[in-house]
Amino acid sequence: MLPSQSYVNMSFFQPPAFLMTGIPGLEALHGWISIPFSCMYTAALTGNCLILLAVRRTPSLHQPMYYFLSMLALTDVGLTLSTLPTTLAVLWFDHSLIAFNACLVQMFFLHSFSVVESSVLLAMSFDRFVAISKPLRYAAILTNTVITRIGLTIVARATVSLFPVPFLLKRLNFCPGKILLSHSFCFHADVMKKACADITINILYGLYVVLSTVGVDSLLIVLSYTLILHTVMGLASPRERIRALNTCISHILAVLVFYIPVIGVSMIHRFGRHLPHIVHALIAYVYLMVPPVLNPIIYSVKSKPIRDAMFRVLRGEGPRLIKSRNNLKV
């Protein structure tokens, strides 16, 4: 009995660490490649932190629309910080090792923030629908209590959906010779392929998470904008129609910036196995790095209140000064 138990324990293998890859085939240029990556990380953190400070310090921005924008900015900060340490460690110092458990933790937060971002974009589409279809009841429907509950529900949904994933990977037997990951961070699809075991459950659960979160969210966003267009077409004045649709442009751009790379990553992982590794790596980096960089730019360009508030933060003006100026404008 004891020898058989010993054999079972000896046959089960989990690597103490994985080896991460930067840009496949361009390892000699990692020092130069780290420059644009560092600039993108800096831009993402700076832009989203500026939005958070601008909303917090500007009383006139204490409205549902800007609260949801703050949720989006906070999510982008979390998504950026999830990949920043390992990516820059690989590019700057050629430090490619990541402990097995640390890999699972990074993977959990990376995918959780992605689910949260999808949910926040859905909440923002609902916000636009209420603002356009029921403008007189907008503040009464989206109260601070309702917004807080929406935020907590979004976090709970992502946590519950992704919580089983690390444990499903923990049960797998891995191959001793397959510890090289395809990216400088831990993707679920990438990690599970390194196992020497049946990963059917992992594949099915991963598909379930994608369809029940990002898939459902995308359909509901399309439904929201269908209802928005129906409401806008009912407005008498063409000028009112344009003004109503103009309030949605920033959100539409943010949705496209997020969902187009998501679709690209999903298609690549399922149907692009024959493509070079560098294509997989670049699509993954676009998916994780471009939305946090572009979202602050989109909202600062399209939203004058956000742009003005961000400039005030950069000039170091305090909340009292901002409040007094807003009162003067009123």
Side-chain angles (χ1 to χ4, degrees), residues 133-144:
S133 63
K134 303 181 184 297
L136 298 180
R137 299 186 57 206
Y138 177 62
I141 294 174
L142 291 175
T143 62
N144 290 345

Side-chain angles (χ1 to χ4, degrees), residues 14-318:
Q14 283 184 345
F18 286 109
L19 282 172
M20 298 176 294
T21 306
I23 307 294
L26 300 177
E27 287 81 3
L29 300 175
H30 275 180
W32 291 104
I33 295 172
S34 68
I35 296 175
F37 273 79
S38 300
C39 292
M40 291 181 72
Y41 278 125
T42 302
L45 292 175
T46 303
N48 287 291
C49 287
L50 274 176
I51 286 180
L52 291 171
L53 287 173
V55 173
R56 182 186 177 192
R57 295 186 179 184
T58 310
S60 63
L61 298 183
H62 293 177
Q63 302 174 27
M65 174 183 176
Y66 300 111
Y67 288 145
F68 287 123
L69 178 57
S70 296
M71 291 183 193
L72 184 65
L74 190 61
T75 303
D76 282 337
V77 169
L79 191 60
T80 301
L81 292 177
S82 296
T83 61
L84 183 150
T86 53
T87 299
L88 293 186
V90 171
L91 296 178
W92 280 354
F93 309 111
D94 198 28
H95 181 76
S96 56
L97 280 176
I98 182 171
F100 182 79
N101 289 329
C103 181
L104 297 185
V105 170
Q106 183 189 47
M107 182 187 64
F108 171 79
F109 281 106
L110 187 156
H111 290 297
S112 294
F113 280 119
S114 295
V115 171
V116 168
E117 180 140 355
S118 175
S119 302
V120 171
L121 290 172
L122 172 60
M124 294 174 80
S125 70
F126 175 69
D127 166 79
R128 291 298 83 208
F129 169 69
V130 174
I132 291 173
S133 63
K134 303 181 184 297
L136 298 180
R137 299 186 57 206
Y138 177 62
I141 294 174
L142 291 175
T143 62
N144 290 345
T145 302
V146 171
I147 294 171
T148 301
R149 288 176 180 173
I150 291 174
L152 292 175
T153 302
I154 288 172
V155 173
R157 179 199 192 197
T159 303
V160 171
S161 297
L162 273 302
F163 186 75
V165 172
F167 298 99
L168 289 175
L169 288 172
K170 268 277 195 182
R171 70 183 179 85
L172 295 177
N173 183 26
F174 286 80
C175 301
K178 295 174 66 176
I179 61 172
L180 181 63
L181 300 179
S182 303
H183 311 290
S184 58
F185 41 80
C186 295
F187 256 153
H188 174 248
D190 191 20
V191 174
M192 71 178 181
K193 289 176 184 177
K194 307 305 175 186
C196 292
D198 184 8
I199 58 173
T200 303
I201 295 177
N202 298 73
I203 293 174
L204 292 176
Y205 188 76
L207 183 62
Y208 162 73
V209 171
V210 171
L211 293 178
S212 64
T213 56
V214 177
V216 171
D217 292 347
S218 60
L219 291 177
L220 292 177
I221 289 173
V222 171
L223 176 61
S224 296
Y225 273 99
T226 302
L227 297 175
I228 287 172
L229 285 174
H230 182 265
T231 302
V232 169
M233 290 300 104
L235 297 176
S237 169
R239 185 175 180 181
E240 290 179 355
R241 294 177 188 175
I242 294 173
R243 187 166 59 181
L245 290 175
N246 193 49
T247 63
C248 301
I249 291 178
S250 298
H251 179 254
I252 292 173
L253 292 175
V255 168
L256 294 176
V257 163
F258 177 76
Y259 279 100
I260 290 177
V262 166
I263 294 172
V265 168
S266 300
M267 297 296 288
I268 285 288
H269 274 291
R270 282 162 179 77
F271 307 110
R273 295 180 181 178
H274 63 284
L275 295 174
H277 290 303
I278 190 170
V279 175
H280 288 259
L282 292 177
I283 292 293
Y285 285 124
V286 168
Y287 159 57
L288 292 172
M289 296 183 65
V290 169
V293 172
L294 290 186
N295 284 337
I297 297 174
I298 290 170
Y299 278 93
S300 62
V301 169
K302 296 300 298 179
S303 175
K304 189 175 184 299
I306 284 289
R307 183 170 63 250
D308 292 344
M310 290 172 70
F311 281 138
R312 289 174 183 139
V313 170
L314 290 173
R315 289 197 296 263
E317 297 182 11

